[in-house]
Amino acid sequence: MHTGIISFADRIVYNIKSNEMKDIILEQINTLYNIKIIQKHYYKLDENNVKYITRNPHLCTLRTNGNPYYMFFTLYNDIPIIYFIDKKVHPGYQKPRILLARGMFSESLFKNTLIDGEMVKTVNKKWLFLMNDIISFEGKFLRNEQLPDRLKLLYNLLETKYVPDKIMDVCTYKIKTYYQTSRQSIEKLIEISKTLNYTCRGIYIWSYDLKYKPKLFNFNEDNIINVVRKVKDETSFKVLSSSESSDYSNNTKSGNNTGNTTTEDNSENTSGNTSGNITGNTSLINSISKMKENTIREQLETNIKYNKIQIEEIERNKLEEFYKESTEYKEYKEYKNCKEGERILWICKTEDPDVYNIYDNENKTNLLGNALVSSLDTSKMMRIAFKNTNVATLLKIKCSYNTTFNKWLPIEIL
């Protein structure tokens, strides 16, 4: 992979320079999720799509002035890797920028997990990756999952499949806060945007259905910051100042970590936004506020129902996960997967080639005889399974009883 060193979120990362390699990655995303980077990823809010919003459930959230990226967890030559894929092509480039990053994320995520978000720089020069949505989770395309369920997956991901690490992380990871779509919510979001420690340009109105693009309402055109890079990537290393070096050393020694898995931070009232108004867009907001009463009721009922069962669902899921990790459940599943004439047995090798002893339990209290190894495929399967074991090691193996030889034939290593 042809890469170069560049600065990203005030850290040094690798940038993919080969257009051929970029094409492979972009084609993979297009094939799996029908996403083309060169396409516009949102629609501007207008009178036409307001009608659609009034008929279908949506949530709304702030659109920052940060640069939009896809965060793609995948494998490259069987090595886990994170790609930050710019959602637009900058002037002077033929392809979007794709950066390589690392992090303490669960290995299961690298079966193709795709997250939509924005990279934001706060007024105190900290970097945040604010997650909007998750498109694929551990290889499963979430096109049939509703937005509240997808957001729940994101929270679970950061809570259980990620460990913050000040050295490896290029930024802090957070999830955006969503609200029910209404005039009051939009006005409240505008007020909230003034208290954040980063700037915002508008509000995303996000459909529950993944196949529909979000609608963007710019509440203040003057507050839009152009994130298109006017210069080529800077490839020189940066040197920490003495004060920064001291702060970093102290944080490392004290165990402080900037990694965070909460929602958007509005605790720092630092006038990140200088103004926010709805001038020129009153008619659109009025259209939203005039939604049919039954549509509003349906949306609220959906939201209330989701919130009501969320705690019960989490508790039930925890119990189910605990049970699924138990020996009893695993043995039950193995038993249910056995066909007539099949059993789960315990096998160990002997000093002789292709001679294996079979027991009906892991305590070796009941020897059933020797396994039937009558074919080259079976012999190869057993040799691979017992390659790094000794004669005392027992392996759990599904077997089928052969009535001709009156022996158990190993068919699957468990």
Side-chain angles (χ1 to χ4, degrees):
M1 185 186 296
H2 185 200
T3 60
I5 296 174
I6 69 166
S7 174
F8 177 63
D10 289 341
R11 305 293 293 270
I12 297 300
V13 299
Y14 287 102
N15 173 39
I16 297 178
K17 303 183 76 173
S18 166
N19 282 342
E20 289 76 14
M21 186 63 204
K22 289 183 178 181
D23 284 336
I24 292 173
I25 297 169
L26 298 177
E27 180 59 31
Q28 181 184 8
I29 292 177
N30 184 29
T31 301
L32 292 174
Y33 316 116
N34 195 29
I35 292 175
K36 294 182 179 179
I37 301 299
I38 60 173
Q39 291 180 337
K40 201 168 186 66
H41 300 280
Y42 65 87
Y43 295 118
K44 281 195 174 182
L45 186 66
D46 57 31
E47 294 290 351
N48 293 325
N49 51 43
V50 161
K51 295 177 182 178
Y52 172 79
I53 293 171
T54 61
R55 294 194 300 266
N56 297 278
H58 287 70
L59 297 179
C60 56
T61 189
L62 286 169
R63 166 65 167 100
T64 73
N65 270 310
N67 200 50
Y69 281 93
Y70 285 119
M71 188 179 183
F72 188 36
F73 298 78
T74 189
L75 297 175
Y76 176 73
N77 289 342
D78 296 326
I79 298 173
I81 196 166
I82 301 172
Y83 295 123
F84 276 95
I85 305 173
D86 203 325
K87 292 176 69 174
K88 58 184 171 298
V89 181
H90 294 269
Y93 293 84
Q94 296 177 327
K95 306 289 180 181
R97 187 166 66 164
I98 301 180
L99 310 173
L100 279 60
R102 301 177 65 190
M104 299 290 287
F105 291 91
S106 172
E107 188 175 347
S108 61
L109 293 176
F110 294 89
K111 297 176 182 178
N112 290 347
T113 296
L114 185 63
I115 295 172
D116 180 302
E118 296 156 24
M119 186 65 75
V120 177
K121 188 176 183 179
T122 66
V123 293
N124 53 352
K125 298 183 179 180
K126 301 294 183 181
W127 288 90
L128 309 175
F129 185 69
L130 301 178
M131 300 180 179
N132 292 316
D133 202 352
I134 181 167
I135 297 154
S136 173
F137 179 69
E138 297 181 350
K140 180 185 177 183
F141 188 14
L142 302 176
R143 58 186 164 192
N144 296 323
E145 302 292 331
Q146 296 293 292
L147 178 59
D149 296 320
R150 299 198 304 272
L151 292 174
K152 187 167 66 172
L153 266 180
L154 269 180
Y155 281 105
N156 181 67
L157 185 156
L158 288 183
E159 182 181 352
T160 65
K161 297 180 180 291
Y162 166 65
V163 178
D165 187 285
K166 187 177 181 66
I167 303 293
M168 297 180 67
D169 291 339
V170 297
C171 60
T172 299
Y173 298 100
K174 295 187 179 183
I175 301 168
K176 284 192 178 180
T177 303
Y178 279 80
Y179 297 87
Q180 191 69 40
T181 303
S182 67
R183 179 186 177 89
Q184 290 75 16
S185 295
I186 290 175
E187 291 174 343
K188 183 65 177 177
L189 280 170
I190 292 173
E191 292 302 314
I192 290 174
S193 71
K194 300 175 185 177
T195 69
L196 297 172
N197 62 342
Y198 50 84
T199 61
C200 297
R201 60 178 286 181
I203 293 172
Y204 269 144
I205 299 178
W206 213 280
S207 173
Y208 273 39
D209 197 324
L210 190 58
K211 68 182 179 182
Y212 297 112
K213 296 178 182 179
K215 289 76 181 170
L216 177 61
F217 162 55
N218 287 321
F219 53 69
N220 187 356
E221 298 287 347
D222 297 331
N223 205 34
I224 298 176
I225 296 176
N226 191 349
V227 294
V228 175
R229 289 174 285 124
K230 296 181 175 61
V231 296
K232 291 278 187 174
D233 295 319
E234 181 183 348
T235 59
S236 60
F237 284 93
K238 293 189 176 182
V239 179
L240 287 175
S241 65
S242 58
S243 60
E244 290 175 324
S245 178
S246 176
D247 291 341
Y248 177 80
S249 177
N250 291 335
N251 285 336
T252 305
K253 289 177 182 178
S254 62
N256 291 339
N257 202 311
T258 58
N260 200 318
T261 59
T262 60
T263 54
E264 293 175 274
D265 186 4
N266 61 355
S267 59
E268 300 181 47
N269 191 347
T270 55
S271 67
N273 291 286
T274 56
S275 63
N277 58 67
I278 56 176
T279 305
N281 295 282
T282 306
S283 61
L284 291 179
I285 297 201
N286 286 337
S287 297
I288 294 175
S289 66
K290 293 177 182 177
M291 290 179 179
K292 292 181 181 179
E293 188 177 336
N294 61 335
T295 304
I296 296 176
R297 189 185 304 113
E298 288 173 5
Q299 290 189 15
L300 289 175
E301 287 176 354
T302 300
N303 205 38
I304 292 170
K305 181 181 178 182
Y306 172 75
N307 291 330
K308 185 177 180 181
I309 66 173
Q310 190 174 19
I311 296 177
E312 298 175 3
E313 207 171 281
I314 291 172
E315 293 299 323
R316 183 169 63 253
N317 288 340
K318 285 182 178 178
L319 289 173
E320 288 179 358
E321 288 173 8
F322 178 78
Y323 174 61
K324 287 179 180 179
E325 290 299 317
S326 67
T327 303
E328 292 81 1
Y329 178 78
K330 291 178 180 177
E331 290 178 349
Y332 169 74
K333 289 290 291 181
E334 290 167 355
Y335 168 76
K336 290 290 289 182
N337 289 332
C338 288
K339 300 176 183 177
E340 186 176 352
E342 295 179 350
R343 281 185 65 184
I344 307 299
L345 299 173
W346 296 86
I347 300 180
C348 67
K349 69 180 183 181
T350 66
E351 297 293 346
D352 301 317
D354 284 343
V355 178
Y356 302 88
N357 291 332
I358 297 185
Y359 300 88
D360 64 0
N361 60 73
E362 58 183 319
N363 297 320
K364 293 187 176 181
T365 56
N366 187 23
L367 177 64
L368 301 180
N370 300 129
L372 177 62
V373 183
S374 57
S375 69
L376 185 60
D377 288 342
T378 304
S379 176
K380 183 178 180 180
M381 179 185 73
M382 297 296 281
R383 285 202 309 273
I384 294 173
F386 286 93
K387 181 178 180 180
N388 297 316
T389 65
N390 55 39
V391 294
T393 303
L394 283 168
L395 296 182
K396 190 188 291 187
I397 299 176
K398 183 190 288 188
C399 301
S400 175
Y401 191 72
N402 187 301
T403 56
T404 303
F405 295 95
N406 291 325
K407 286 187 175 183
W408 290 99
L409 171 68
I411 57 175
E412 182 183 349
I413 310 298
L414 302 176

